[in-house]
mmCIF file of all heavy atoms in Angstrom:
data_model
loop_
_atom_site.group_PDB
_atom_site.id
_atom_site.type_symbol
_atom_site.label_atom_id
_atom_site.label_comp_id
_atom_site.label_asym_id
_atom_site.label_seq_id
_atom_site.Cartn_x
_atom_site.Cartn_y
_atom_site.Cartn_z
ATOM 1 N N ALA A 20 -25.189 81.799 10.050
ATOM 2 C CA ALA A 20 -25.677 82.890 10.882
ATOM 3 C C ALA A 20 -27.197 82.875 10.845
ATOM 4 O O ALA A 20 -27.796 83.217 9.853
ATOM 5 C CB ALA A 20 -25.159 84.216 10.346
ATOM 6 N N LYS A 113 -36.385 89.833 8.889
ATOM 7 C CA LYS A 113 -35.107 89.302 9.360
ATOM 8 C C LYS A 113 -34.300 88.755 8.184
ATOM 9 O O LYS A 113 -33.089 88.985 8.098
ATOM 10 C CB LYS A 113 -35.339 88.225 10.413
ATOM 11 C CG LYS A 113 -35.666 88.770 11.797
ATOM 12 C CD LYS A 113 -35.746 87.659 12.829
ATOM 13 C CE LYS A 113 -37.084 86.962 12.786
ATOM 14 N NZ LYS A 113 -37.222 85.979 13.892
ATOM 15 N N PHE A 156 -41.942 90.182 -2.051
ATOM 16 C CA PHE A 156 -43.119 89.758 -2.804
ATOM 17 C C PHE A 156 -44.141 89.106 -1.876
ATOM 18 O O PHE A 156 -45.349 89.343 -1.991
ATOM 19 C CB PHE A 156 -42.705 88.810 -3.927
ATOM 20 C CG PHE A 156 -43.815 88.438 -4.872
ATOM 21 C CD1 PHE A 156 -44.739 89.376 -5.310
ATOM 22 C CD2 PHE A 156 -43.914 87.136 -5.340
ATOM 23 C CE1 PHE A 156 -45.760 89.024 -6.192
ATOM 24 C CE2 PHE A 156 -44.923 86.777 -6.225
ATOM 25 C CZ PHE A 156 -45.853 87.714 -6.644
ATOM 26 N N VAL A 178 -31.601 103.297 14.514
ATOM 27 C CA VAL A 178 -33.056 103.294 14.526
ATOM 28 C C VAL A 178 -33.533 104.082 13.321
ATOM 29 O O VAL A 178 -33.054 105.185 13.057
ATOM 30 C CB VAL A 178 -33.622 103.930 15.818
ATOM 31 C CG1 VAL A 178 -35.135 104.025 15.741
ATOM 32 C CG2 VAL A 178 -33.190 103.131 17.037
ATOM 33 N N LEU A 181 -39.648 104.106 8.891
ATOM 34 C CA LEU A 181 -39.956 104.153 7.467
ATOM 35 C C LEU A 181 -41.457 104.063 7.243
ATOM 36 O O LEU A 181 -42.136 103.267 7.901
ATOM 37 C CB LEU A 181 -39.283 102.994 6.731
ATOM 38 C CG LEU A 181 -37.755 102.980 6.695
ATOM 39 C CD1 LEU A 181 -37.287 101.702 6.021
ATOM 40 C CD2 LEU A 181 -37.223 104.188 5.959
ATOM 41 N N GLN A 183 -44.777 103.138 4.699
ATOM 42 C CA GLN A 183 -45.029 102.106 3.696
ATOM 43 C C GLN A 183 -44.797 102.647 2.292
ATOM 44 O O GLN A 183 -44.997 103.837 2.025
ATOM 45 C CB GLN A 183 -46.463 101.594 3.784
ATOM 46 C CG GLN A 183 -46.725 100.691 4.976
ATOM 47 C CD GLN A 183 -47.771 101.290 5.892
ATOM 48 O OE1 GLN A 183 -47.696 102.462 6.264
ATOM 49 N NE2 GLN A 183 -48.756 100.480 6.266
ATOM 50 N N ALA A 187 -46.766 99.202 -6.267
ATOM 51 C CA ALA A 187 -46.098 99.576 -7.515
ATOM 52 C C ALA A 187 -44.621 99.847 -7.282
ATOM 53 O O ALA A 187 -43.759 99.430 -8.065
ATOM 54 C CB ALA A 187 -46.777 100.794 -8.132
ATOM 55 N N TYR A 210 -24.487 73.474 -10.157
ATOM 56 C CA TYR A 210 -23.743 73.101 -8.962
ATOM 57 C C TYR A 210 -23.248 71.655 -9.003
ATOM 58 O O TYR A 210 -22.517 71.222 -8.119
ATOM 59 C CB TYR A 210 -24.605 73.306 -7.712
ATOM 60 C CG TYR A 210 -24.786 74.766 -7.352
ATOM 61 C CD1 TYR A 210 -25.945 75.452 -7.692
ATOM 62 C CD2 TYR A 210 -23.789 75.465 -6.676
ATOM 63 C CE1 TYR A 210 -26.121 76.789 -7.370
ATOM 64 C CE2 TYR A 210 -23.943 76.799 -6.347
ATOM 65 C CZ TYR A 210 -25.106 77.460 -6.697
ATOM 66 O OH TYR A 210 -25.265 78.790 -6.378
ATOM 67 N N GLY A 211 -23.658 70.917 -10.004
ATOM 68 C CA GLY A 211 -23.214 69.534 -10.106
ATOM 69 C C GLY A 211 -24.368 68.578 -9.891
ATOM 70 O O GLY A 211 -25.385 68.909 -9.274
ATOM 71 N N TYR A 323 -49.276 71.649 11.051
ATOM 72 C CA TYR A 323 -50.461 72.171 10.380
ATOM 73 C C TYR A 323 -51.158 71.139 9.497
ATOM 74 O O TYR A 323 -52.376 71.179 9.345
ATOM 75 C CB TYR A 323 -50.098 73.405 9.546
ATOM 76 C CG TYR A 323 -49.970 74.658 10.380
ATOM 77 C CD1 TYR A 323 -48.796 74.929 11.073
ATOM 78 C CD2 TYR A 323 -51.019 75.563 10.499
ATOM 79 C CE1 TYR A 323 -48.672 76.065 11.852
ATOM 80 C CE2 TYR A 323 -50.912 76.699 11.264
ATOM 81 C CZ TYR A 323 -49.729 76.951 11.951
ATOM 82 O OH TYR A 323 -49.613 78.072 12.735
ATOM 83 N N ASN A 368 -54.542 61.245 -4.066
ATOM 84 C CA ASN A 368 -53.274 61.573 -3.418
ATOM 85 C C ASN A 368 -53.282 62.864 -2.613
ATOM 86 O O ASN A 368 -52.460 63.043 -1.717
ATOM 87 C CB ASN A 368 -52.158 61.663 -4.471
ATOM 88 C CG ASN A 368 -51.583 60.307 -4.817
ATOM 89 O OD1 ASN A 368 -51.441 59.453 -3.947
ATOM 90 N ND2 ASN A 368 -51.257 60.110 -6.079
ATOM 91 N N GLN A 379 -66.826 66.346 5.557
ATOM 92 C CA GLN A 379 -66.724 67.792 5.414
ATOM 93 C C GLN A 379 -65.301 68.288 5.668
ATOM 94 O O GLN A 379 -64.973 69.414 5.329
ATOM 95 C CB GLN A 379 -67.688 68.494 6.374
ATOM 96 C CG GLN A 379 -69.148 68.263 6.028
ATOM 97 C CD GLN A 379 -70.091 69.026 6.926
ATOM 98 O OE1 GLN A 379 -69.758 69.351 8.058
ATOM 99 N NE2 GLN A 379 -71.276 69.309 6.430
ATOM 100 N N SER A 382 -58.191 64.846 6.138
ATOM 101 C CA SER A 382 -56.771 65.014 6.443
ATOM 102 C C SER A 382 -55.974 65.118 5.152
ATOM 103 O O SER A 382 -56.295 64.485 4.148
ATOM 104 C CB SER A 382 -56.256 63.833 7.270
ATOM 105 O OG SER A 382 -56.937 63.752 8.496
ATOM 106 N N ASP A 451 -53.658 74.030 -24.074
ATOM 107 C CA ASP A 451 -52.671 72.971 -24.263
ATOM 108 C C ASP A 451 -51.773 72.820 -23.030
ATOM 109 O O ASP A 451 -51.374 71.700 -22.669
ATOM 110 C CB ASP A 451 -51.820 73.250 -25.501
ATOM 111 C CG ASP A 451 -52.594 73.037 -26.795
ATOM 112 O OD1 ASP A 451 -53.663 72.394 -26.757
ATOM 113 O OD2 ASP A 451 -52.132 73.527 -27.852
ATOM 114 N N PRO A 526 -62.093 99.302 -3.696
ATOM 115 C CA PRO A 526 -62.937 98.719 -4.731
ATOM 116 C C PRO A 526 -63.658 97.461 -4.234
ATOM 117 O O PRO A 526 -63.146 96.724 -3.403
ATOM 118 C CB PRO A 526 -61.948 98.381 -5.847
ATOM 119 C CG PRO A 526 -60.751 99.223 -5.570
ATOM 120 C CD PRO A 526 -60.691 99.398 -4.093
ATOM 121 N N ILE A 583 -58.889 99.307 11.470
ATOM 122 C CA ILE A 583 -59.219 100.398 12.384
ATOM 123 C C ILE A 583 -60.688 100.258 12.770
ATOM 124 O O ILE A 583 -61.061 100.343 13.930
ATOM 125 C CB ILE A 583 -58.954 101.774 11.732
ATOM 126 C CG1 ILE A 583 -57.463 101.948 11.456
ATOM 127 C CG2 ILE A 583 -59.465 102.901 12.638
ATOM 128 C CD1 ILE A 583 -57.131 103.213 10.690
#
Side-chain angles (χ1 to χ4, degrees):
K113 281 186 279 186
F156 187 41
V178 175
L181 295 176
Q183 286 118 311
Y210 287 100
Y323 281 82
N368 277 323
Q379 293 184 334
S382 299
D451 288 344
I583 295 174

